[in-house]
Amino acid sequence: MLAFLDRPRLPFILLLGVCSALLGYGLYLQAGGGLNPCPMCIMQRYAFVGIILIALAAAIHRPRGKTRKAYGLALLAAALAGGGVALRQSWIQRFPPEFAECGPDLEFMLDSFPLKDALPLIFQGSGDCTAIDWSFLGLSIANWSLACFALIAVLSLIGLFRKA
């Protein structure tokens, strides 16, 4: 059933494609849908970028044996980091705190700071971490990210403990 894991490059190429599509859709929702990402969303994007870079390196390298396990460990670490953030965001969306403060919005930053100081702040996110502005099948973006990170972590673990 998981025979595709036996091919050196295929799992990494698939992971690269899927994570790139997820990241691209998130950017589409931001640019086309007007959804401002919160700081936790930005951190999850960084985790997806990390996974993409690890998968790209592994696809180019075509690892076997111990190097394949090293890539698996790196993917597992990135998936756990992103999953931890997604889990926390899912939690605060389900049980919002009384005062939600995730950072100022883009308009405030541009009005309050010179452009050279505002640019780094833009990449920190500006939306409300407790807000659910988009959902599919009853799950928020954070919930879907958590599911994706969990799947990546499980597949990484399977790859780590699977005999070649």
Side-chain angles (χ1 to χ4, degrees):
M1 180 173 133
L2 296 173
F4 76 94
L5 289 174
D6 292 334
R7 304 202 47 190
R9 289 186 178 164
L10 185 60
F12 299 110
I13 292 170
L14 290 174
L15 187 58
L16 174 68
V18 169
C19 288
S20 295
L22 289 171
L23 192 58
Y25 188 66
L27 293 172
Y28 165 76
L29 287 175
Q30 181 179 353
L35 298 178
N36 285 329
C38 69
M40 289 183 167
C41 295
I42 297 296
M43 289 191 296
Q44 292 169 58
R45 285 183 183 181
Y46 286 142
F48 277 121
V49 168
I51 291 169
I52 288 168
L53 292 175
I54 295 165
L56 177 63
I60 292 169
H61 186 231
R62 195 176 184 204
R64 295 185 186 272
K66 290 183 182 181
T67 55
R68 186 177 176 101
K69 292 196 184 286
Y71 282 115
L73 279 173
L75 287 171
L76 179 62
L80 290 176
V85 174
L87 180 63
R88 176 69 181 140
Q89 186 177 7
S90 296
W91 177 266
I92 66 171
Q93 284 179 343
R94 178 86 171 131
F95 305 104
E98 188 174 337
F99 298 104
E101 182 58 45
C102 291
D105 63 3
L106 178 62
E107 183 179 344
F108 173 80
M109 287 188 290
L110 291 175
D111 289 341
S112 302
F113 301 105
L115 186 60
K116 70 177 181 68
D117 294 334
L119 280 178
L121 296 173
I122 292 170
F123 292 102
Q124 293 177 358
S126 60
D128 179 7
C129 295
T130 61
I132 300 174
D133 297 326
W134 181 93
S135 65
F136 179 68
L137 299 176
L139 299 175
S140 69
I141 294 173
N143 301 145
W144 283 108
S145 291
L146 178 59
C148 291
F149 286 127
L151 181 61
I152 293 166
V154 167
L155 289 175
S156 296
L157 284 171
I158 290 171
L160 284 172
F161 293 109
R162 187 177 172 97
K163 297 205 183 221

PDB file of all heavy atoms in Angstrom, residues 90-116:
ATOM      1  N   SER A  90      -5.713  26.328  16.458  1.00  0.00           N
ATOM      2  CA  SER A  90      -7.005  25.633  16.470  1.00  0.00           C
ATOM      3  C   SER A  90      -7.636  25.707  17.851  1.00  0.00           C
ATOM      4  O   SER A  90      -8.846  25.882  17.988  1.00  0.00           O
ATOM      5  CB  SER A  90      -6.827  24.171  16.045  1.00  0.00           C
ATOM      6  OG  SER A  90      -6.379  24.087  14.719  1.00  0.00           O
ATOM      7  N   TRP A  91      -6.793  25.580  18.875  1.00  0.00           N
ATOM      8  CA  TRP A  91      -7.282  25.644  20.253  1.00  0.00           C
ATOM      9  C   TRP A  91      -7.862  27.027  20.566  1.00  0.00           C
ATOM     10  O   TRP A  91      -8.954  27.141  21.124  1.00  0.00           O
ATOM     11  CB  TRP A  91      -6.160  25.300  21.224  1.00  0.00           C
ATOM     12  CG  TRP A  91      -6.565  25.420  22.658  1.00  0.00           C
ATOM     13  CD1 TRP A  91      -6.415  26.493  23.479  1.00  0.00           C
ATOM     14  CD2 TRP A  91      -7.224  24.422  23.435  1.00  0.00           C
ATOM     15  NE1 TRP A  91      -6.925  26.228  24.716  1.00  0.00           N
ATOM     16  CE2 TRP A  91      -7.433  24.960  24.723  1.00  0.00           C
ATOM     17  CE3 TRP A  91      -7.648  23.120  23.172  1.00  0.00           C
ATOM     18  CZ2 TRP A  91      -8.051  24.253  25.738  1.00  0.00           C
ATOM     19  CZ3 TRP A  91      -8.255  22.412  24.195  1.00  0.00           C
ATOM     20  CH2 TRP A  91      -8.461  22.977  25.450  1.00  0.00           C
ATOM     21  N   ILE A  92      -7.118  28.082  20.207  1.00  0.00           N
ATOM     22  CA  ILE A  92      -7.625  29.413  20.544  1.00  0.00           C
ATOM     23  C   ILE A  92      -8.791  29.831  19.644  1.00  0.00           C
ATOM     24  O   ILE A  92      -9.565  30.702  20.015  1.00  0.00           O
ATOM     25  CB  ILE A  92      -6.519  30.492  20.563  1.00  0.00           C
ATOM     26  CG1 ILE A  92      -5.927  30.724  19.192  1.00  0.00           C
ATOM     27  CG2 ILE A  92      -5.462  30.167  21.576  1.00  0.00           C
ATOM     28  CD1 ILE A  92      -4.987  31.914  19.133  1.00  0.00           C
ATOM     29  N   GLN A  93      -8.939  29.186  18.487  1.00  0.00           N
ATOM     30  CA  GLN A  93     -10.135  29.438  17.678  1.00  0.00           C
ATOM     31  C   GLN A  93     -11.348  28.763  18.312  1.00  0.00           C
ATOM     32  O   GLN A  93     -12.446  29.286  18.266  1.00  0.00           O
ATOM     33  CB  GLN A  93      -9.934  28.940  16.247  1.00  0.00           C
ATOM     34  CG  GLN A  93      -9.056  29.831  15.425  1.00  0.00           C
ATOM     35  CD  GLN A  93      -8.834  29.320  14.016  1.00  0.00           C
ATOM     36  OE1 GLN A  93      -9.062  28.152  13.711  1.00  0.00           O
ATOM     37  NE2 GLN A  93      -8.368  30.193  13.151  1.00  0.00           N
ATOM     38  N   ARG A  94     -11.129  27.609  18.872  1.00  0.00           N
ATOM     39  CA  ARG A  94     -12.222  26.875  19.526  1.00  0.00           C
ATOM     40  C   ARG A  94     -12.586  27.500  20.868  1.00  0.00           C
ATOM     41  O   ARG A  94     -13.744  27.573  21.228  1.00  0.00           O
ATOM     42  CB  ARG A  94     -11.799  25.415  19.711  1.00  0.00           C
ATOM     43  CG  ARG A  94     -12.784  24.559  20.406  1.00  0.00           C
ATOM     44  CD  ARG A  94     -13.797  23.998  19.447  1.00  0.00           C
ATOM     45  NE  ARG A  94     -14.580  23.011  20.162  1.00  0.00           N
ATOM     46  CZ  ARG A  94     -15.877  22.988  20.137  1.00  0.00           C
ATOM     47  NH1 ARG A  94     -16.545  23.849  19.402  1.00  0.00           N
ATOM     48  NH2 ARG A  94     -16.548  22.077  20.801  1.00  0.00           N
ATOM     49  N   PHE A  95     -11.576  27.930  21.622  1.00  0.00           N
ATOM     50  CA  PHE A  95     -11.772  28.536  22.937  1.00  0.00           C
ATOM     51  C   PHE A  95     -11.074  29.897  22.962  1.00  0.00           C
ATOM     52  O   PHE A  95      -9.999  30.028  23.538  1.00  0.00           O
ATOM     53  CB  PHE A  95     -11.195  27.632  24.038  1.00  0.00           C
ATOM     54  CG  PHE A  95     -11.743  26.242  24.010  1.00  0.00           C
ATOM     55  CD1 PHE A  95     -10.970  25.191  23.516  1.00  0.00           C
ATOM     56  CD2 PHE A  95     -13.029  25.963  24.448  1.00  0.00           C
ATOM     57  CE1 PHE A  95     -11.468  23.898  23.479  1.00  0.00           C
ATOM     58  CE2 PHE A  95     -13.525  24.675  24.415  1.00  0.00           C
ATOM     59  CZ  PHE A  95     -12.752  23.632  23.931  1.00  0.00           C
ATOM     60  N   PRO A  96     -11.676  30.907  22.323  1.00  0.00           N
ATOM     61  CA  PRO A  96     -10.995  32.203  22.217  1.00  0.00           C
ATOM     62  C   PRO A  96     -10.811  32.868  23.579  1.00  0.00           C
ATOM     63  O   PRO A  96     -11.690  32.803  24.430  1.00  0.00           O
ATOM     64  CB  PRO A  96     -11.920  33.036  21.326  1.00  0.00           C
ATOM     65  CG  PRO A  96     -13.213  32.326  21.291  1.00  0.00           C
ATOM     66  CD  PRO A  96     -12.979  30.906  21.686  1.00  0.00           C
ATOM     67  N   PRO A  97      -9.642  33.500  23.770  1.00  0.00           N
ATOM     68  CA  PRO A  97      -9.423  34.243  25.011  1.00  0.00           C
ATOM     69  C   PRO A  97     -10.289  35.505  25.025  1.00  0.00           C
ATOM     70  O   PRO A  97     -10.805  35.933  23.987  1.00  0.00           O
ATOM     71  CB  PRO A  97      -7.935  34.593  24.970  1.00  0.00           C
ATOM     72  CG  PRO A  97      -7.575  34.538  23.534  1.00  0.00           C
ATOM     73  CD  PRO A  97      -8.490  33.534  22.892  1.00  0.00           C
ATOM     74  N   GLU A  98     -10.424  36.098  26.187  1.00  0.00           N
ATOM     75  CA  GLU A  98     -11.266  37.288  26.318  1.00  0.00           C
ATOM     76  C   GLU A  98     -10.734  38.442  25.470  1.00  0.00           C
ATOM     77  O   GLU A  98     -11.495  39.149  24.827  1.00  0.00           O
ATOM     78  CB  GLU A  98     -11.332  37.697  27.787  1.00  0.00           C
ATOM     79  CG  GLU A  98     -12.334  38.788  28.047  1.00  0.00           C
ATOM     80  CD  GLU A  98     -12.500  39.080  29.520  1.00  0.00           C
ATOM     81  OE1 GLU A  98     -12.204  38.205  30.357  1.00  0.00           O
ATOM     82  OE2 GLU A  98     -12.917  40.208  29.828  1.00  0.00           O
ATOM     83  N   PHE A  99      -9.420  38.615  25.464  1.00  0.00           N
ATOM     84  CA  PHE A  99      -8.802  39.673  24.668  1.00  0.00           C
ATOM     85  C   PHE A  99      -7.814  39.038  23.700  1.00  0.00           C
ATOM     86  O   PHE A  99      -6.764  38.568  24.115  1.00  0.00           O
ATOM     87  CB  PHE A  99      -8.073  40.684  25.560  1.00  0.00           C
ATOM     88  CG  PHE A  99      -8.981  41.389  26.513  1.00  0.00           C
ATOM     89  CD1 PHE A  99      -8.994  41.032  27.851  1.00  0.00           C
ATOM     90  CD2 PHE A  99      -9.818  42.384  26.075  1.00  0.00           C
ATOM     91  CE1 PHE A  99      -9.842  41.670  28.739  1.00  0.00           C
ATOM     92  CE2 PHE A  99     -10.671  43.027  26.953  1.00  0.00           C
ATOM     93  CZ  PHE A  99     -10.685  42.672  28.292  1.00  0.00           C
ATOM     94  N   ALA A 100      -8.177  39.025  22.440  1.00  0.00           N
ATOM     95  CA  ALA A 100      -7.299  38.444  21.418  1.00  0.00           C
ATOM     96  C   ALA A 100      -6.447  39.546  20.813  1.00  0.00           C
ATOM     97  O   ALA A 100      -6.964  40.486  20.238  1.00  0.00           O
ATOM     98  CB  ALA A 100      -8.131  37.764  20.336  1.00  0.00           C
ATOM     99  N   GLU A 101      -5.156  39.421  20.950  1.00  0.00           N
ATOM    100  CA  GLU A 101      -4.234  40.403  20.383  1.00  0.00           C
ATOM    101  C   GLU A 101      -3.106  39.656  19.689  1.00  0.00           C
ATOM    102  O   GLU A 101      -2.251  39.078  20.338  1.00  0.00           O
ATOM    103  CB  GLU A 101      -3.677  41.308  21.475  1.00  0.00           C
ATOM    104  CG  GLU A 101      -2.748  42.382  20.956  1.00  0.00           C
ATOM    105  CD  GLU A 101      -3.387  43.296  19.936  1.00  0.00           C
ATOM    106  OE1 GLU A 101      -4.518  43.739  20.154  1.00  0.00           O
ATOM    107  OE2 GLU A 101      -2.750  43.554  18.901  1.00  0.00           O
ATOM    108  N   CYS A 102      -3.144  39.652  18.378  1.00  0.00           N
ATOM    109  CA  CYS A 102      -2.116  38.952  17.613  1.00  0.00           C
ATOM    110  C   CYS A 102      -1.203  39.915  16.881  1.00  0.00           C
ATOM    111  O   CYS A 102      -0.287  39.504  16.205  1.00  0.00           O
ATOM    112  CB  CYS A 102      -2.761  37.992  16.608  1.00  0.00           C
ATOM    113  SG  CYS A 102      -3.563  36.613  17.390  1.00  0.00           S
ATOM    114  N   GLY A 103      -1.474  41.177  16.955  1.00  0.00           N
ATOM    115  CA  GLY A 103      -0.633  42.140  16.277  1.00  0.00           C
ATOM    116  C   GLY A 103      -1.468  43.166  15.538  1.00  0.00           C
ATOM    117  O   GLY A 103      -2.643  42.950  15.265  1.00  0.00           O
ATOM    118  N   PRO A 104      -0.871  44.300  15.189  1.00  0.00           N
ATOM    119  CA  PRO A 104      -1.604  45.359  14.496  1.00  0.00           C
ATOM    120  C   PRO A 104      -1.859  44.995  13.036  1.00  0.00           C
ATOM    121  O   PRO A 104      -1.171  44.158  12.472  1.00  0.00           O
ATOM    122  CB  PRO A 104      -0.666  46.562  14.612  1.00  0.00           C
ATOM    123  CG  PRO A 104       0.689  45.964  14.746  1.00  0.00           C
ATOM    124  CD  PRO A 104       0.498  44.662  15.483  1.00  0.00           C
ATOM    125  N   ASP A 105      -2.861  45.659  12.443  1.00  0.00           N
ATOM    126  CA  ASP A 105      -3.138  45.385  11.038  1.00  0.00           C
ATOM    127  C   ASP A 105      -2.199  46.189  10.143  1.00  0.00           C
ATOM    128  O   ASP A 105      -1.452  47.058  10.593  1.00  0.00           O
ATOM    129  CB  ASP A 105      -4.606  45.658  10.705  1.00  0.00           C
ATOM    130  CG  ASP A 105      -5.009  47.115  10.883  1.00  0.00           C
ATOM    131  OD1 ASP A 105      -4.135  47.946  11.207  1.00  0.00           O
ATOM    132  OD2 ASP A 105      -6.196  47.411  10.697  1.00  0.00           O
ATOM    133  N   LEU A 106      -2.227  45.864   8.847  1.00  0.00           N
ATOM    134  CA  LEU A 106      -1.308  46.457   7.882  1.00  0.00           C
ATOM    135  C   LEU A 106      -1.470  47.974   7.806  1.00  0.00           C
ATOM    136  O   LEU A 106      -0.484  48.716   7.777  1.00  0.00           O
ATOM    137  CB  LEU A 106      -1.530  45.827   6.502  1.00  0.00           C
ATOM    138  CG  LEU A 106      -0.693  46.364   5.357  1.00  0.00           C
ATOM    139  CD1 LEU A 106       0.790  46.133   5.628  1.00  0.00           C
ATOM    140  CD2 LEU A 106      -1.107  45.708   4.055  1.00  0.00           C
ATOM    141  N   GLU A 107      -2.682  48.463   7.797  1.00  0.00           N
ATOM    142  CA  GLU A 107      -2.930  49.905   7.695  1.00  0.00           C
ATOM    143  C   GLU A 107      -2.310  50.656   8.874  1.00  0.00           C
ATOM    144  O   GLU A 107      -1.660  51.689   8.697  1.00  0.00           O
ATOM    145  CB  GLU A 107      -4.434  50.158   7.630  1.00  0.00           C
ATOM    146  CG  GLU A 107      -4.794  51.614   7.457  1.00  0.00           C
ATOM    147  CD  GLU A 107      -6.299  51.823   7.370  1.00  0.00           C
ATOM    148  OE1 GLU A 107      -7.037  50.857   7.142  1.00  0.00           O
ATOM    149  OE2 GLU A 107      -6.708  52.980   7.553  1.00  0.00           O
ATOM    150  N   PHE A 108      -2.468  50.122  10.066  1.00  0.00           N
ATOM    151  CA  PHE A 108      -1.881  50.749  11.249  1.00  0.00           C
ATOM    152  C   PHE A 108      -0.354  50.785  11.152  1.00  0.00           C
ATOM    153  O   PHE A 108       0.272  51.785  11.477  1.00  0.00           O
ATOM    154  CB  PHE A 108      -2.319  50.012  12.517  1.00  0.00           C
ATOM    155  CG  PHE A 108      -1.629  50.505  13.759  1.00  0.00           C
ATOM    156  CD1 PHE A 108      -2.059  51.655  14.397  1.00  0.00           C
ATOM    157  CD2 PHE A 108      -0.534  49.822  14.270  1.00  0.00           C
ATOM    158  CE1 PHE A 108      -1.424  52.124  15.538  1.00  0.00           C
ATOM    159  CE2 PHE A 108       0.109  50.281  15.403  1.00  0.00           C
ATOM    160  CZ  PHE A 108      -0.327  51.437  16.044  1.00  0.00           C
ATOM    161  N   MET A 109       0.239  49.678  10.703  1.00  0.00           N
ATOM    162  CA  MET A 109       1.696  49.621  10.607  1.00  0.00           C
ATOM    163  C   MET A 109       2.230  50.642   9.623  1.00  0.00           C
ATOM    164  O   MET A 109       3.237  51.317   9.884  1.00  0.00           O
ATOM    165  CB  MET A 109       2.162  48.211  10.221  1.00  0.00           C
ATOM    166  CG  MET A 109       2.025  47.202  11.332  1.00  0.00           C
ATOM    167  SD  MET A 109       2.767  45.626  10.946  1.00  0.00           S
ATOM    168  CE  MET A 109       1.667  44.996   9.703  1.00  0.00           C
ATOM    169  N   LEU A 110       1.570  50.779   8.453  1.00  0.00           N
ATOM    170  CA  LEU A 110       2.042  51.725   7.442  1.00  0.00           C
ATOM    171  C   LEU A 110       1.820  53.164   7.881  1.00  0.00           C
ATOM    172  O   LEU A 110       2.599  54.053   7.513  1.00  0.00           O
ATOM    173  CB  LEU A 110       1.366  51.446   6.100  1.00  0.00           C
ATOM    174  CG  LEU A 110       1.779  50.140   5.413  1.00  0.00           C
ATOM    175  CD1 LEU A 110       0.963  49.912   4.155  1.00  0.00           C
ATOM    176  CD2 LEU A 110       3.266  50.125   5.109  1.00  0.00           C
ATOM    177  N   ASP A 111       0.759  53.417   8.653  1.00  0.00           N
ATOM    178  CA  ASP A 111       0.517  54.766   9.159  1.00  0.00           C
ATOM    179  C   ASP A 111       1.459  55.127  10.301  1.00  0.00           C
ATOM    180  O   ASP A 111       1.812  56.289  10.476  1.00  0.00           O
ATOM    181  CB  ASP A 111      -0.932  54.908   9.646  1.00  0.00           C
ATOM    182  CG  ASP A 111      -1.928  54.923   8.499  1.00  0.00           C
ATOM    183  OD1 ASP A 111      -1.517  55.177   7.349  1.00  0.00           O
ATOM    184  OD2 ASP A 111      -3.123  54.671   8.761  1.00  0.00           O
ATOM    185  N   SER A 112       1.865  54.139  11.086  1.00  0.00           N
ATOM    186  CA  SER A 112       2.635  54.400  12.299  1.00  0.00           C
ATOM    187  C   SER A 112       4.147  54.324  12.114  1.00  0.00           C
ATOM    188  O   SER A 112       4.885  54.903  12.911  1.00  0.00           O
ATOM    189  CB  SER A 112       2.236  53.402  13.387  1.00  0.00           C
ATOM    190  OG  SER A 112       0.861  53.501  13.642  1.00  0.00           O
ATOM    191  N   PHE A 113       4.604  53.596  11.113  1.00  0.00           N
ATOM    192  CA  PHE A 113       6.034  53.375  10.943  1.00  0.00           C
ATOM    193  C   PHE A 113       6.463  53.784   9.542  1.00  0.00           C
ATOM    194  O   PHE A 113       5.683  53.703   8.598  1.00  0.00           O
ATOM    195  CB  PHE A 113       6.383  51.886  11.137  1.00  0.00           C
ATOM    196  CG  PHE A 113       6.017  51.350  12.484  1.00  0.00           C
ATOM    197  CD1 PHE A 113       4.908  50.521  12.631  1.00  0.00           C
ATOM    198  CD2 PHE A 113       6.778  51.647  13.607  1.00  0.00           C
ATOM    199  CE1 PHE A 113       4.569  50.012  13.868  1.00  0.00           C
ATOM    200  CE2 PHE A 113       6.440  51.144  14.848  1.00  0.00           C
ATOM    201  CZ  PHE A 113       5.333  50.322  14.988  1.00  0.00           C
ATOM    202  N   PRO A 114       7.741  54.208   9.387  1.00  0.00           N
ATOM    203  CA  PRO A 114       8.253  54.410   8.028  1.00  0.00           C
ATOM    204  C   PRO A 114       8.279  53.073   7.284  1.00  0.00           C
ATOM    205  O   PRO A 114       8.311  52.005   7.903  1.00  0.00           O
ATOM    206  CB  PRO A 114       9.675  54.930   8.245  1.00  0.00           C
ATOM    207  CG  PRO A 114       9.882  55.076   9.705  1.00  0.00           C
ATOM    208  CD  PRO A 114       8.702  54.514  10.416  1.00  0.00           C
ATOM    209  N   LEU A 115       8.257  53.128   5.973  1.00  0.00           N
ATOM    210  CA  LEU A 115       8.169  51.919   5.158  1.00  0.00           C
ATOM    211  C   LEU A 115       9.276  50.925   5.479  1.00  0.00           C
ATOM    212  O   LEU A 115       9.036  49.719   5.565  1.00  0.00           O
ATOM    213  CB  LEU A 115       8.184  52.274   3.668  1.00  0.00           C
ATOM    214  CG  LEU A 115       7.954  51.121   2.704  1.00  0.00           C
ATOM    215  CD1 LEU A 115       6.595  50.475   2.959  1.00  0.00           C
ATOM    216  CD2 LEU A 115       8.041  51.591   1.268  1.00  0.00           C
ATOM    217  N   LYS A 116      10.499  51.410   5.701  1.00  0.00           N
ATOM    218  CA  LYS A 116      11.615  50.498   5.984  1.00  0.00           C
ATOM    219  C   LYS A 116      11.411  49.748   7.306  1.00  0.00           C
ATOM    220  O   LYS A 116      11.888  48.635   7.473  1.00  0.00           O
ATOM    221  CB  LYS A 116      12.951  51.239   5.980  1.00  0.00           C
ATOM    222  CG  LYS A 116      13.162  52.198   7.133  1.00  0.00           C
ATOM    223  CD  LYS A 116      14.545  52.834   7.074  1.00  0.00           C
ATOM    224  CE  LYS A 116      14.791  53.769   8.212  1.00  0.00           C
ATOM    225  NZ  LYS A 116      14.901  53.148   9.499  1.00  0.00           N
TER     226      LYS A 116
END
